[in-house]
Amino acid sequence: MWNGLVGVAKETYTASLGEGVVPRPLMMPLVRGELVGLIWVRPLKIGQDALAGIAELANIAAAAGADEVVLAWETHDVATACELPIVGPAPCLNMVLATRAGHVLHQFPYSEQLLSRSPEGWASVAPDWRPAPAPQPCGELVPPIQAAVNFSFTPIELDHPDPFGVTVVLMEEDGYRISLTEAFAR
């Protein structure tokens, strides 16, 4: 499963960077080894809104009762959005695999090869994936990612007959892009 999720993240990054966009942070919650879906963070404003928006990715995992979560983000993009110092390699696709018992940070650094530049100055690039450092058990996570990991395993208490369904609807209304697998689709 892990290799498949890494493959999906790398393919998404390659396609998005080729279109001149860095993909937004992404969460992939799992329940008993089954993927719930893909949740991309909503459009963010720089600063506190970005910190909160990334942490709120945890809502779907918590509502689903996830026992594992995978988060993916780009080092420079999250640092810039959250007004944080850059920690670790950049540019770099980071992925963390987390359970209640702990987490392992995986980093996939890359260099950018310029493909084209638009008249507006947007660059289309291709990632040239570099050798990945060894996975880091309990590796340092930037604050909004650490918050998302922590909150993923905190049960959501909603007085509603379908807490998962209502959480999905509310997050979609807030601008999160959610793609549920067939087993979890409403």
Side-chain angles (χ1 to χ4, degrees):
M1 175 70 87
W2 172 252
N3 290 337
L5 296 177
V6 170
V8 165
K10 282 185 167 182
E11 287 172 17
T12 299
Y13 267 69
T14 300
S16 295
L17 292 170
E19 295 173 3
V21 199
V22 175
R24 294 183 193 156
L26 165 68
M27 178 177 272
M28 298 172 270
L30 294 102
V31 174
R32 291 178 294 286
E34 189 170 345
L35 182 66
V36 173
L38 307 175
I39 301 96
W40 286 270
V41 78
R42 62 178 166 74
L44 304 170
K45 295 178 185 149
I46 292 176
Q48 288 298 316
D49 182 63
L51 291 164
I54 294 169
E56 290 168 359
L57 284 168
N59 291 342
I60 296 287
D67 42 35
E68 290 179 278
V69 294
V70 174
L71 280 99
W73 72 99
E74 201 284 326
T75 300
H76 190 265
D77 184 55
V78 168
T80 300
C82 297
E83 299 178 313
L84 298 169
I86 294 175
V87 177
C92 182
L93 165 62
N94 300 279
M95 293 182 71
V96 65
L97 174 59
T99 65
R100 283 180 176 81
H103 70 270
V104 178
L105 174 62
H106 300 261
Q107 295 179 307
F108 303 98
Y110 59 92
S111 60
E112 297 174 340
Q113 297 178 328
L114 182 63
L115 298 175
S116 65
R117 190 170 294 282
S118 73
E120 297 82 25
W122 295 101
S124 172
V125 299
D128 180 13
W129 299 103
R130 301 294 183 201
Q136 303 167 48
C138 301
E140 181 180 359
L141 302 177
V142 293
I145 299 297
Q146 184 66 63
V149 166
N150 295 345
F151 296 143
S152 291
F153 305 111
T154 304
I156 288 184
E157 295 181 24
L158 286 175
D159 186 18
H160 192 277
D162 182 13
F164 177 73
V166 77
T167 300
V168 169
V169 168
L170 292 172
M171 288 187 69
E172 286 177 332
E173 287 176 356
D174 282 346
Y176 289 86
R177 197 171 95 215
I178 300 171
S179 176
L180 299 175
T181 59
E182 190 175 312
F184 289 90
R186 312 185 289 284

